[in-house]
Amino acid sequence: MRPELGVCYYPEHWPEAGWADDAARMARIGLTWVRIGEFAWGRIEPVPGQVQLGWLDRAIEVLGAAGLKVVLGTPTATPPRWMIDRHPDMLAVDAEGKPRKFGSRRHYCFSHPGYLDECVRITDILAQRYAHNPHVAAWQIDNEYGCHDSVLSYSEAARQGFRDWLAARYGDIATLNRAWGNVFWSMEYGSFDQVDLPNLTVTDPNPSHVLAFRRYSSDQVVRFNRAQAKVLKAHTDAPLIHNYMGRVLEYDHFEVGDDLDIASWDSYPIGFLSDRLDETAAHKLAFLQQGDPDMQAMHHDLYRAVGRGRWWVMEQQPGPVNWAPYNPAPLPGMVRLWSLEAVAHGAEVVSYFRWRQAPFGQEQYHAGLLQPDGRDAVGADEAVQVVDDLAKLGDLTQAQARVAILFDYPSDWAWATQPQGAGFSYFNLILSAYKALRRAGLSVDFLPSRQRAFSGYDLILAPGLAVLPPDLSAALNASGAQVVLGPRSGAINDDYQIPDAGRPGVPGLDVHVDLVESLPPDHTRAVSGGGQVIHWQEQLSGEAEVLLQTEAGAPVQMGGDGLSYIGAYPDEMLWDRIVAAAAERAGLAVTRLPEGLRLRDMGAHRFVVNYSAHAVDWNGARLEPCGVAVWKDGARVF
Amino acid sequence: MRPELGVCYYPEHWPEAGWADDAARMARIGLTWVRIGEFAWGRIEPVPGQVQLGWLDRAIEVLGAAGLKVVLGTPTATPPRWMIDRHPDMLAVDAEGKPRKFGSRRHYCFSHPGYLDECVRITDILAQRYAHNPHVAAWQIDNEYGCHDSVLSYSEAARQGFRDWLAARYGDIATLNRAWGNVFWSMEYGSFDQVDLPNLTVTDPNPSHVLAFRRYSSDQVVRFNRAQAKVLKAHTDAPLIHNYMGRVLEYDHFEVGDDLDIASWDSYPIGFLSDRLDETAAHKLAFLQQGDPDMQAMHHDLYRAVGRGRWWVMEQQPGPVNWAPYNPAPLPGMVRLWSLEAVAHGAEVVSYFRWRQAPFGQEQYHAGLLQPDGRDAVGADEAVQVVDDLAKLGDLTQAQARVAILFDYPSDWAWATQPQGAGFSYFNLILSAYKALRRAGLSVDFLPSRQRAFSGYDLILAPGLAVLPPDLSAALNASGAQVVLGPRSGAINDDYQIPDAGRPGVPGLDVHVDLVESLPPDHTRAVSGGGQVIHWQEQLSGEAEVLLQTEAGAPVQMGGDGLSYIGAYPDEMLWDRIVAAAAERAGLAVTRLPEGLRLRDMGAHRFVVNYSAHAVDWNGARLEPCGVAVWKDGARVF
Amino acid sequence: MRPELGVCYYPEHWPEAGWADDAARMARIGLTWVRIGEFAWGRIEPVPGQVQLGWLDRAIEVLGAAGLKVVLGTPTATPPRWMIDRHPDMLAVDAEGKPRKFGSRRHYCFSHPGYLDECVRITDILAQRYAHNPHVAAWQIDNEYGCHDSVLSYSEAARQGFRDWLAARYGDIATLNRAWGNVFWSMEYGSFDQVDLPNLTVTDPNPSHVLAFRRYSSDQVVRFNRAQAKVLKAHTDAPLIHNYMGRVLEYDHFEVGDDLDIASWDSYPIGFLSDRLDETAAHKLAFLQQGDPDMQAMHHDLYRAVGRGRWWVMEQQPGPVNWAPYNPAPLPGMVRLWSLEAVAHGAEVVSYFRWRQAPFGQEQYHAGLLQPDGRDAVGADEAVQVVDDLAKLGDLTQAQARVAILFDYPSDWAWATQPQGAGFSYFNLILSAYKALRRAGLSVDFLPSRQRAFSGYDLILAPGLAVLPPDLSAALNASGAQVVLGPRSGAINDDYQIPDAGRPGVPGLDVHVDLVESLPPDHTRAVSGGGQVIHWQEQLSGEAEVLLQTEAGAPVQMGGDGLSYIGAYPDEMLWDRIVAAAAERAGLAVTRLPEGLRLRDMGAHRFVVNYSAHAVDWNGARLEPCGVAVWKDGARVF
């Protein structure tokens, strides 16, 4: 595989006279892909029913003529203003009951049947026109599902859809009442029509109610995506892509991914550091102009799983963005580092957002490869260097890692519904485990929680996995890998009740969670031998061996060779100890990396990136600030 | 009096086949009371008008057969879903104007006449069935009035009710306009129908308007409770109870209590520390797994006053709860300590919440005496020990304390309406005074602000008592006790105007408040001799003696033997000085207690509890961590 | 000019029998002006159409008979309750869509045509009655436009008005679409009727949309004020005043001021320190009972510009107020200091708010010159002293300063719309520049951004001036003054697009902003020679000389003698360096003042005020804590 570079382009934003020059400059840099169209419904169909594709025909022709391959986006993330007149109730409704109005983007409710029909219609029009266009080499459906909290909608359409969904899931209302434990607080319903959405209740709604609504809402995203995918598949064999957003967890990406060929995502390392990373101020300051050293890699590995091996970065930050609380510029070299890091994790394409900075609209402070007046911005220079780097690297091959983390979107919904301790976050728990593996120099695969085949993995982590069905327990038991569960793994059943079999309820692992405690940030508990329990501790009983315990004698990890369970939220040092011990049992060599350095093996290639702002000597090699080193079969490439 | 233990039980949550075993285990532990039914309307009347009491008959029979006395709750805190179809406008409305929907509990507006009728109807049905049941030994009406901010409702029913209430209170609109000073900002009304609820105004509404609405809202709770009490009294002489929630101040508990026989409350020491205590992080960390050393005692003493001497803990925390920001487990011994401390303050019954942890619903992380699978949880073991302790204690007798604090719910409403300084809280002011008395080893009674008989009290504190009517001033003057008023005592009249007689306006106390200042947390003022003024200072004038003054020479406390007035918010040291001086004048011996230790005298018994996590030697005795010591007539019982 | 003192008085709040005594006491203190009537609509027209002016006739007569000149307010800030029945849709609507209800003040939407007619009607009635009254010497229209966030309203009236305004501004919808860049995210409209207000969008609305709505909203205030001014001018030549509030920026005060003769404002130094000043806790603590040393002066200078030289303090804080988070009392001497400082900046009148503290209503904790019971409060004593001081000062003359800051209300709207970095505030940026000039002992004029004549100015600062039209650039270039632009100056065009000419796009200044960065508070960048860049840095290119650069070599200020541009947000030390260098180039002498001391020259008089709580020796003179010193032609007056 030979990774390529691309860029996001909006021909409709610029005079047609300049398109050819833009295309030529893209090609000159060495870009080979260009994504267009995903926000252009207003120009494709300025008046209802009057489709105008001439300009799009010409844009594709100009780009294609310059040798660029086009990713064509369906424009359904930005319905035009007239659409709201046609479907006044298509707007999503927030948890306070207020419609979310026209005037930006993503102003639609996934549950609305009328809007879904409109999306199928426009997709079909585009598919008929461009399915056989030689320059259209891939399709993107919609853009950034879930961005701006757009999955959960409390609209009338959602209410009706939810009731139907419940009726289909539970069959009769008595079954639902039992499954949800509605006898608690006299919450039993007499019919599905009495079930409302779980917002604006006097105090917390039943977690079973909330989790069902979260599952329903995720299903609507899957259904919405599938409808467009079906239309496109009827016309083309070109790969279908959705472009996901970072740290959006409100729907099951694996299920959306099932209907697509490639997963892509938006990598904005500095924006995410400011906006979406829960870390100390000191950490954020140290990586202010570089981004967190693991946040991108984690998403790369996760979207590789979502794409079943095929994945892109569709939007790569090329300079300061405009949407985070603070938007500093990347340090010199970081645009290159991010690009090569994506390649190290198996990206087929890294596409910069965007070609030329827009002088108008909501993102006029968002840097592009070009400045608003057309001069090169700093990102363009680094892109040129990446093209050169890729040439030196030559062919790359994907390789399965030996370490895996089970990832499960519904677990995030479950713990957000009943965090039990303020700020308990599934995402953060997973990230903390991932970081420990990375500090140990291990390359990691994410696996969906539905995975049952674990061949090739020597170490599998499943922290916070809310539901542990028997066949998963069995498959993990049979895998031969070291399997580390917990905290909170197996804590509930599908309907959000404590399982009859207890927590975690794993055959062959005699561990019982007797009670759970959430802990404030200023209270930690020392573990014998080093490290601390933070945030969360479970009181464990059972016959399994105690592998780790607090200095006060409370078990922290129990189990043995094979399965074990962590009844606590580990701090960094404790995670390091858990990972080191499990890796040793698994026969995996651990490499202790200096702060800011990260390593990723891909077949014969070893990539090392230096996220720190100073030079680091490691393993006989010097890594410049924000530098990248690659070895192939042990020989340094650059 | 011989205190007893009880438990809260939900037979409707469990298979009937297990009830007898549950009852037998309760009896084996030594529990004698069991509360049931308060959330069971959905099972009592699953379909409107179709009352099904067979299961409840059988549950009571099974429990009674095991020797348990039943407290039967009216289920009006959880109207079933069909009730909303019958009375769509019965939901409370929040201050933003949004109805508070079905899906949890307390989803009703106290002002709604239709729902009140429904409550009378179901109470009558239960009273007719169980008034003469030999096992039903007490009744609980509704549950936790005011929990989840459920007193104030901005519904149409409340608006109509408020107008009628105003017409009854003021007679004609001109009187209201004068009483409220509505000439200010042209707020005068032409008729009662023009008066709206005081929410969503452009800036602060008139405090007179708000205070009237707070009084009205409190009256609705009284009316609601009284309607059920009247029904029950027509059928039974068994004691009537309401179960109050901690730090709920939105209605006048004394007035609700007038219609009842026993006051009970919910003691969740660790949950309250995290959720309802305004204290420093260091203090909260020191008492994280014990609870604040005074928060429970203060409520015990307050509810003893509300119950006119008769009070229970209806829900005692037996392990981690689920609803606070952080929910750690009690340290070993704390469940016992809390239980015995309640006894020390005169509780007739301490009842644990709940029997068996629910595996479903909103409280599935809330510990019970049993785990969800039926195994004993740690709380059960400590309950057994308490039974043993109580046997050792034998008969106990209530005794009036020599120190009293006047407590006044409307004062909390008044200062919440116009705090004048961010965070000024009547509750915190009272708690700070109470803590100072407790640090001095004094046992305390709370008295309602309507109290006029003060015989037997040597020291009376009335901080923050908003309104000081002439007959109260006279009674205090005549009491012979040392009386310490202020800050803010007597600052307004009933309609929230500065009294014509000035502040505090107490005959015989020549002190005048000339202006008031609120102070930010980082600005304090040293008092000569020790201590600081914090939060609040009044500029005092008058001929009364200056008892305390700041180092800058501003009077802090004025008055003399008998009446005095504090024109400031004291810090701990200043409170200690004020209390010590007043106690000395009152002839009361002060005992300076080590941190974490608290003392309570009850007749011949002296209880000492150790809220700290380490052993403390005191007065020749050793108190273990979380330990309890009791002396009877000077001899140590345990 | 001989400055005078006044007071705000509410005869309708007090028994008529006491008016004459009040008036006599005012005169005895030495007050000469009294403002009345601005909240009295309810008494002027208690029933729709039934105007009752007898009481007002008598009040004016009593005050006038005591020698007082009356400022008569139109009462349109407080429409009576019956007005809402007449115009139920006249209430403003907040950004969440909720009507802002009756019950306080300012409960009207500026866009509502019916309410505007009512205001014209009542103003005409008052004008007819009092235009020729010998005691009515000035008129105030409404009060505190914009207080309580009352400019922006999302009502139906605003929506209709906005559409009409857009149609008038842009002519056709295609022009609007181009001007706003609505092609971005398919936001193009088909007609003006499709344009909604920019609230409740899914993510940020188009900044062009927001800025247009801000301009529209400002225009409604101007229109509202002008309608009343027109009525009054038809009847009287007495000066017309509006009384502005501090740090209210939501409408263009210069445009409102064009229709008036005098600008007045509300000076609440201690309230503003707590409520409206973004400063460190240490700074707020040091000036807790004095107010910020520059906040008042900045407003004095700004309102002098708004009043085209004629300005008053209409409401001067005389003691603790009631509306800030914390409300401590002024230190002794501060009421005098504030009064004389206003005089030093050219105030014609300083009028205290209010005469006697109200014992009812929303401001019952707001001090007056008298206590509620009529005794003198501390402010009265200091007012007497100010009368004495003014007698010593004799005649004063206004003089143009040699330093100016361009002030531009739309710039505040622009940066609030797209701050790009959390907390970026135009007001704070201007205040930081103003403080630097004041620390250097310079007297400052504010000039409106529309100013084109700069004669007499040697140094002009224009930080953050969003739009730099060519004629302004030309006028600045031609002024001969040292002109310091930036940061963010010239960053957008009138419709919120990056200008085609680039940023700042000033002919003769070869500086280009290539990208912008916002920085978190804990990240600063050292500048060679001293000082730090905070909050904001721009990457500059161009041929202009680099005057300042970071230690890392990034240009911070570029330009030369004449025009220069700052591409960063300076900290205090960096501002001091920039000001010192520019002052030197401008030939202005810099006086380095001790902390807390401030200097203001007015003709022959030099005023020095000491905002600190301790005595300060300066220039051979001692300034007592909170003291004031004045020199005339170099000789100390006091």
Side-chain angles (χ1 to χ4, degrees), chain C residues 66 76 105 139 144 162 305 344 397 454 478 600:
Chain C
T76 52
R105 61 178 179 177
W139 291 77
E144 298 171 357
F162 184 44
T397 44
F454 298 106
R600 163 83 186 165

Side-chain angles (χ1 to χ4, degrees), chain A residues 186 188 199-200 420 422 517-518, chain B residues 39 42-43 101 325 327 329 362:
Chain A
S186 283
E188 287 168 315
N199 62 327
L200 298 175
Q420 177 65 4
E517 295 183 86
S518 55
Chain B
F39 296 135
R43 288 293 169 95
K101 290 163 54 177
N327 300 294
Q362 280 89 333

Side-chain angles (χ1 to χ4, degrees), chain A residues 240-271:
Chain A
L240 305 188
I241 307 175
H242 177 69
N243 182 40
Y244 302 95
M245 191 57 178
R247 202 176 175 169
V248 165
L249 303 159
E250 286 75 16
Y251 61 96
D252 193 320
H253 294 209
F254 295 118
E255 295 194 3
V256 167
D258 285 346
D259 293 311
L260 302 172
D261 302 292
I262 295 171
S264 76
W265 80 288
D266 292 347
S267 178
Y268 291 103
I270 291 176

Side-chain angles (χ1 to χ4, degrees), chain A residues 394-631:
Chain A
D395 273 323
L396 297 166
T397 45
Q398 295 255 17
Q400 183 182 318
R402 297 177 59 192
V403 179
I405 295 178
L406 289 187
F407 195 89
D408 181 57
Y409 289 91
S411 292
D412 187 75
W413 315 336
W415 305 146
T417 300
Q418 290 231 326
Q420 177 65 4
F424 190 102
S425 151
Y426 176 72
F427 179 87
N428 285 344
L429 176 63
I430 292 290
L431 181 58
S432 71
Y434 181 78
K435 279 177 170 282
L437 294 169
R438 297 257 295 168
R439 285 192 299 270
L442 297 167
S443 297
V444 181
D445 284 349
F446 280 98
L447 301 175
S449 53
R450 66 190 176 191
Q451 185 92 10
R452 295 296 179 267
F454 297 108
S455 167
Y457 292 106
D458 299 312
L459 172 58
I460 302 170
L461 271 60
L465 184 63
V467 180
L468 263 177
D471 60 336
L472 174 56
S473 295
L476 289 170
N477 254 318
S479 68
Q482 294 295 320
V483 176
V484 181
L485 304 170
R488 290 192 102 160
S489 299
I492 59 171
N493 70 10
D494 267 341
D495 289 309
Y496 219 120
Q497 296 199 13
I498 296 175
D500 291 340
R503 303 169 282 187
V506 175
L509 180 63
D510 191 356
V511 175
H512 308 281
V513 176
D514 288 338
L515 64 77
V516 303
E517 295 183 86
S518 55
L519 310 175
D522 52 2
H523 176 88
T524 64
R525 292 172 181 172
V527 174
S528 296
Q532 301 278 338
V533 171
I534 56 175
H535 302 336
W536 183 269
Q537 185 161 14
E538 298 169 357
Q539 185 178 309
L540 303 181
S541 65
E543 296 300 315
E545 184 187 353
V546 175
L547 303 178
L548 288 168
Q549 61 182 13
T550 64
E551 292 183 353
V556 166
Q557 187 181 16
M558 294 176 70
D561 201 46
L563 278 177
S564 71
Y565 182 88
I566 311 167
Y569 199 117
D571 75 345
E572 278 198 17
M573 184 187 291
L574 185 54
W575 262 131
D576 284 345
R577 291 181 62 202
I578 292 168
V579 162
E584 190 183 347
R585 290 194 302 269
L588 294 166
V590 159
T591 307
R592 198 53 58 191
L593 292 168
E595 178 168 4
L597 236 60
R598 290 293 183 264
L599 176 165
R600 164 83 186 164
D601 289 323
M602 202 167 100
H605 289 80
R606 165 162 290 191
F607 291 74
V608 176
V609 296
N610 179 14
Y611 263 87
S612 70
H614 49 84
V616 176
D617 291 313
W618 177 76
N619 230 6
R622 155 146 297 205
L623 277 122
E624 296 303 321
C626 311
V628 181
V630 183
W631 288 260

Side-chain angles (χ1 to χ4, degrees), chain B residues 348-527:
Chain B
E348 298 180 4
V349 174
V350 176
S351 162
Y352 300 98
F353 183 88
R354 54 187 275 161
W355 175 243
R356 182 168 165 181
Q357 183 174 348
F360 46 67
Q362 280 89 333
E363 293 179 347
Q364 57 188 265
Y365 284 105
H366 192 303
L369 293 183
L370 306 192
Q371 296 196 36
D373 60 8
R375 288 177 297 145
D376 277 1
V378 66
D381 301 335
E382 299 204 14
V384 168
Q385 197 182 342
V386 174
V387 171
D388 186 51
D389 293 331
L390 292 178
K392 290 180 190 149
L393 288 177
D395 273 323
L396 297 167
T397 45
Q398 294 256 16
Q400 183 181 318
R402 296 177 61 190
V403 179
I405 295 178
L406 288 187
F407 195 89
D408 181 58
Y409 289 91
S411 293
D412 187 75
W413 315 335
W415 306 146
T417 299
Q418 290 232 326
Q420 177 64 3
F424 190 101
S425 151
Y426 176 72
F427 179 88
N428 286 344
L429 176 63
I430 292 290
L431 181 58
S432 73
Y434 181 79
K435 280 177 169 282
L437 294 169
R438 298 255 296 168
R439 285 193 298 270
L442 297 167
S443 296
V444 181
D445 283 349
F446 280 98
L447 300 175
S449 53
R450 64 189 176 190
Q451 185 92 10
R452 294 296 178 269
F454 298 108
S455 168
Y457 291 106
D458 300 312
L459 172 58
I460 302 170
L461 271 60
L465 185 63
V467 180
L468 262 177
D471 60 337
L472 175 56
S473 293
L476 289 170
N477 254 318
S479 69
Q482 294 296 320
V483 176
V484 181
L485 304 170
R488 291 191 101 160
S489 298
I492 59 171
N493 70 11
D494 267 341
D495 289 310
Y496 219 121
Q497 296 199 12
I498 296 175
D500 291 341
R503 304 170 280 186
V506 175
L509 181 64
D510 191 356
V511 175
H512 307 282
V513 176
D514 289 338
L515 64 77
V516 302
E517 297 183 83
S518 54
L519 310 175
D522 52 2
H523 175 88
T524 66
R525 291 170 182 173
V527 175

Side-chain angles (χ1 to χ4, degrees), chain B residues 96 180-181 183-189 193-194 196-197 199-207 415 418 420-422 488 491-492 496-498 503 512-523 525 536 541, chain C residues 12-13 39-43 78-82 85 98-107 148 281 285 288-289 320-322 324-329 354 357-365 371-372 375:
Chain B
E96 306 286 293
W180 291 9
V183 63
F184 196 82
W185 293 353
S186 282
M187 295 180 296
E188 287 169 314
Y189 300 102
D193 284 347
Q194 286 182 336
D196 208 334
L197 302 180
N199 61 327
L200 298 174
T201 52
V202 174
T203 182
D204 292 340
N206 192 335
W415 306 146
Q418 290 232 326
Q420 177 64 3
R488 291 191 101 160
I492 59 171
Y496 219 121
Q497 296 199 12
I498 296 175
R503 304 170 280 186
H512 307 282
V513 176
D514 289 338
L515 64 77
V516 302
E517 297 183 83
S518 54
L519 310 175
D522 52 2
H523 175 88
R525 291 170 182 173
W536 183 269
S541 65
Chain C
E12 69 273 25
H13 292 183
F39 296 135
W41 198 334
R43 288 292 170 96
T78 51
R81 176 61 184 81
W82 52 257
D85 289 336
K98 297 188 300 289
R100 305 181 72 189
K101 289 164 54 177
F102 180 86
S104 59
R105 61 178 179 177
R106 303 212 56 71
H107 38 278
H148 318 307
L285 188 58
L288 180 69
Q289 299 185 261
V321 300
N322 68 301
Y326 299 104
N327 299 294
R354 52 187 274 162
Q357 182 173 348
F360 46 67
Q362 280 88 332
E363 294 179 348
Q364 57 188 264
Y365 284 104
Q371 296 195 36
R375 288 177 295 145

